[in-house]
Amino acid sequence: MRSERVGIIDIGSNSVRLVVYERVGEEAYRAIDESKESARLSAAILPDGSIAQADIERLARILKEFRMLCHVHAAETVRAVATAAIRNATNGRQAAEQLHLLTGIPIEILSGEEEARLGFIGMINSIDVKDGFLIDIGGGSTEISLFRNRTLVRSISLPFGAVNTAKTYTDQGNASRDDLKRIRDMVLASVKDEKWLSGHPDLPLIGLGGTIRSLCKIDQKKKKYAFTQSHMYEIGKEGLNELSDWLSSLDVQQRTKVEGLSGDRADIIVPGLIILHTLFSHIRASRCIVSGAGLRDGVFYETAFPEKPVVADVLADSVGNLLALHPAVFRPHVEQVARLAAKLFEDLSLETVFGRRALDLLQTAAMLYRIGVTVHFYNYYKHTFYLMVHSRLDGLSHRETVLCALIASYKSKSKARSMMLPYKDLLGDTDADLVYRLGSLLQLAISLDRSETQPLQEIRANVVKQDLAISWTSRHDPAIELREVERAAGEFKKGWGLRIRMTPATFSR
């Protein structure tokens, strides 16, 4: 299978980051390395608005190290983009040209509009949301965009971020009440003529960048949150208010002891938070959703998939990508299992019981149930559970990810109960029953293609008294499947209270 590697460098106002992606085959991809170095370019701008020669040389050293890492990983393409600090510097273009000469890496200076667009591509390919606002609080600028029907409608780049706001309005990160008010007033003054920002209340605000990721980690630590990922974490209005009040009351030294907050952000987290909180209140957002994908991801999609950088179906694309990265899974088999599971779901009218979204969870679980085999065949269901929980499944909430992993790895009620325990705070009162029923239903669908030869063409299921009667047509004798159904029948009865009865077959030619 063909593979190529791409290095994406983001020269931000606060930090410089490298991500090396590997593209596998035609459509699959994954990140294989990541590096970050603090730059604080926005804080180092000279009084005349220029970047000092010493800072250019320091940046060149970082870029040379990143170039070496790209070479080690055999990344044939290296793309470096620069944002607000270089964009707004009076000598920004000269600095980019000098960096190119010193490192051999061409530097693209993104406009505010380009930065917003690329951040949007990264986000919209990883979150299944139709309408909302997107905010990216960097070190030296803040981009905020409105999107409708998954299409970017309007955006604006504001000339302040966490680093330059801290430099201008705080005493080395310490902020008085008057300082906080000055920041809020500055933010509101900058958007007073942007009527579109306040014309769409109750939409979610999707957040990118270090400020929102740090707030997520702090909130997760406070709540002893069981799920380790920040992507798709939600912070409501009340939670954002509490974080704003609490963190603003601490000085820089006290903030260094806050769990979840890295020491190099202790002095800039409050300015970034006040920017976020002010704009959140101004647009009257319903909630804040953390996106773990943004600018660098957008640059990668545009580089690797220039003809179609935006995916049509986030969940389907994510499932397909994960499957492609686990080639030991026989694709025709899991597609057959997903088809049979969907037919059982339909015939049992389960949409009226569990809702339409449950079918998406069931089919996702069906497609991914065997990925654990790539770790080890024995007890592969445990590896499947771990891989699904720890591999970002875009298009699912944290609760839905855990549910899919539980359904995919289902063996028995007792095993499922023990696997649920660490995530009990994420799950609802009826979720255990959902897992038991859909998990045992999936096991039945898996039994119906045990040989992985797709013998069954059609099935039809209906409940007759205490039996689940399944009629079927097949291409060839499904003797292996029929024996496997007998083995699955006991666990199915525990979940459904129904015996499985396979009716006489119809063979097709």
Side-chain angles (χ1 to χ4, degrees), residues 175 177 180 184 215 222 237-251 254-255 270 273-274 277:
R177 287 188 178 181
L180 299 177
R184 291 187 187 278
L215 293 174
K222 282 183 68 179
K237 181 179 178 181
E238 186 176 324
L240 199 57
N241 290 342
E242 289 175 359
L243 284 170
S244 179
D245 292 342
W246 174 51
L247 289 173
S248 297
S249 71
L250 305 179
D251 60 31
Q254 290 170 320
R255 284 180 229 144
V270 167
L273 171 55
I274 298 303
H277 191 240

Side-chain angles (χ1 to χ4, degrees), residues 485-504:
V485 166
E486 289 180 10
R487 296 187 182 106
E491 195 59 42
F492 186 85
K493 187 174 182 182
K494 291 177 186 176
W496 291 87
L498 297 172
R499 297 184 297 262
I500 298 173
R501 176 164 57 85
M502 303 292 287
T503 63

Side-chain angles (χ1 to χ4, degrees), residues 359-374:
L359 178 57
D360 295 333
L361 304 184
L362 176 63
Q363 293 201 280
T364 297
M367 293 294 287
L368 298 177
Y369 90 93
R370 270 186 72 84
I371 61 173
V373 168
T374 58

Side-chain angles (χ1 to χ4, degrees), residues 360-408:
D360 295 333
L361 304 184
L362 176 63
Q363 293 201 280
T364 297
M367 293 294 287
L368 298 177
Y369 90 93
R370 270 186 72 84
I371 61 173
V373 168
T374 58
V375 178
H376 201 267
F377 172 75
Y378 296 103
N379 290 322
Y380 73 80
Y381 72 95
K382 294 181 180 179
H383 303 307
T384 290
F385 180 83
Y386 181 89
L387 287 170
M388 289 182 69
V389 166
H390 293 277
S391 299
R392 206 178 73 193
L393 279 173
D394 294 334
L396 297 178
S397 68
H398 291 179
R399 168 184 165 270
E400 289 174 333
T401 297
V402 173
L403 287 174
C404 275
L406 288 165
I407 294 165

Side-chain angles (χ1 to χ4, degrees), residues 9-17 37-42 59 81-86 115 138-141 163 295-296:
I9 299 172
D10 172 11
I11 306 171
S13 302
N14 181 49
S15 58
V16 185
R17 293 176 180 266
E37 293 293 336
S38 180
R40 292 288 177 99
L41 290 176
S42 287
L59 190 52
V81 298
T83 56
I86 291 181
E115 187 176 353
S141 69
V163 176
L295 175 65
R296 291 178 295 284

Side-chain angles (χ1 to χ4, degrees), residues 10 21 115-124 126 134 136 207-209 213 231 291-301 392:
D10 172 11
Y21 295 90
E115 187 176 353
R117 179 182 62 81
L118 290 165
F120 172 75
I121 291 173
M123 180 279 295
I124 207 67
S126 64
L134 175 66
D136 184 356
L208 309 178
R213 286 195 301 271
H231 183 68
S291 174
L295 175 65
R296 291 178 295 284
D297 304 87
V299 175
F300 166 73
Y301 288 123
R392 206 178 73 193

Side-chain angles (χ1 to χ4, degrees), residues 111-410:
S111 68
E113 292 73 21
E114 288 172 324
E115 187 176 353
R117 179 182 62 81
L118 290 165
F120 172 75
I121 291 173
M123 180 279 295
I124 207 67
N125 280 350
S126 64
I127 295 181
D128 188 10
V129 59
K130 287 181 64 176
D131 307 300
F133 284 95
L134 175 66
I135 188 169
D136 184 356
I137 302 172
S141 69
T142 295
E143 283 68 45
I144 185 163
S145 309
L146 171 67
F147 61 95
R148 286 288 197 180
N149 198 27
R150 297 182 57 78
T151 300
L152 192 61
V153 174
R154 194 164 181 180
S155 64
I156 185 174
S157 181
L158 304 169
F160 50 80
V163 176
N164 58 4
T165 300
K167 180 182 178 182
T168 304
Y169 292 95
T170 74
D171 178 12
Q172 298 182 322
N174 293 306
S176 66
R177 287 188 178 181
D178 287 343
D179 293 332
L180 299 177
K181 184 178 185 304
R182 288 167 62 216
I183 295 173
R184 291 187 187 278
D185 290 345
M186 177 272 295
V187 173
L188 291 173
S190 70
V191 297
K192 64 181 175 62
D193 295 327
E194 306 295 332
K195 305 301 182 187
W196 58 277
L197 285 174
S198 56
H200 306 273
D202 298 320
L203 291 179
L205 178 64
I206 318 295
L208 309 178
T211 292
I212 187 67
R213 286 195 301 271
S214 295
L215 293 174
C216 164
K217 291 173 184 175
I218 293 167
D219 203 49
Q220 287 179 334
K221 289 290 185 181
K222 282 183 68 179
K223 294 177 178 176
K224 294 182 172 56
Y225 194 68
F227 207 74
T228 57
Q229 294 182 32
S230 58
H231 183 68
M232 284 299 293
Y233 186 73
E234 293 194 14
I235 303 175
K237 181 179 178 181
E238 186 176 324
L240 199 57
N241 290 342
E242 289 175 359
L243 284 170
S244 179
D245 292 342
W246 174 51
L247 289 173
S248 297
S249 71
L250 305 179
D251 60 31
V252 172
Q253 186 58 37
Q254 290 170 320
R255 284 180 229 144
T256 61
K257 299 173 184 176
V258 171
E259 280 194 279
L261 180 63
S262 62
D264 63 353
R265 281 197 170 268
D267 60 335
I268 62 172
I269 186 63
V270 167
L273 171 55
I274 298 303
I275 292 169
L276 173 67
H277 191 240
T278 303
L279 289 171
F280 180 91
S281 300
H282 180 69
I283 67 177
R284 293 173 288 167
S286 59
R287 63 198 190 282
C288 192
I289 303 174
V290 182
S291 174
L295 175 65
R296 291 178 295 284
D297 304 87
V299 175
F300 166 73
Y301 288 123
E302 189 179 70
T303 304
F305 310 106
E307 295 179 1
K308 193 179 179 183
V310 177
V311 303
D313 186 322
V314 174
L315 180 56
D317 181 80
S318 185
V319 169
N321 186 67
L322 193 55
L323 265 182
L325 297 176
H326 293 82
V329 178
F330 186 45
R331 186 82 179 243
H333 166 63
V334 292
E335 288 176 346
Q336 171 78 340
V337 171
R339 186 178 70 84
L340 294 172
K343 187 64 167 61
L344 291 168
F345 187 95
E346 177 188 338
D347 288 352
L348 290 169
S349 301
L350 296 183
E351 184 176 343
T352 60
V353 180
F354 297 121
R356 183 70 185 177
R357 186 59 169 172
L359 178 57
D360 295 333
L361 304 184
L362 176 63
Q363 293 201 280
T364 297
M367 293 294 287
L368 298 177
Y369 90 93
R370 270 186 72 84
I371 61 173
V373 168
T374 58
V375 178
H376 201 267
F377 172 75
Y378 296 103
N379 290 322
Y380 73 80
Y381 72 95
K382 294 181 180 179
H383 303 307
T384 290
F385 180 83
Y386 181 89
L387 287 170
M388 289 182 69
V389 166
H390 293 277
S391 299
R392 206 178 73 193
L393 279 173
D394 294 334
L396 297 178
S397 68
H398 291 179
R399 168 184 165 270
E400 289 174 333
T401 297
V402 173
L403 287 174
C404 275
L406 288 165
I407 294 165
S409 59
Y410 187 82

Side-chain angles (χ1 to χ4, degrees), residues 39 43 67 129 214 238 299 338 351 383 419-420 434 452-453 456 505:
R67 185 187 63 188
V129 59
S214 295
E238 186 176 324
V299 175
E351 184 176 343
H383 303 307
M419 295 170 84
M420 284 181 204
L434 176 75
E452 300 195 17
T453 61
L456 299 183

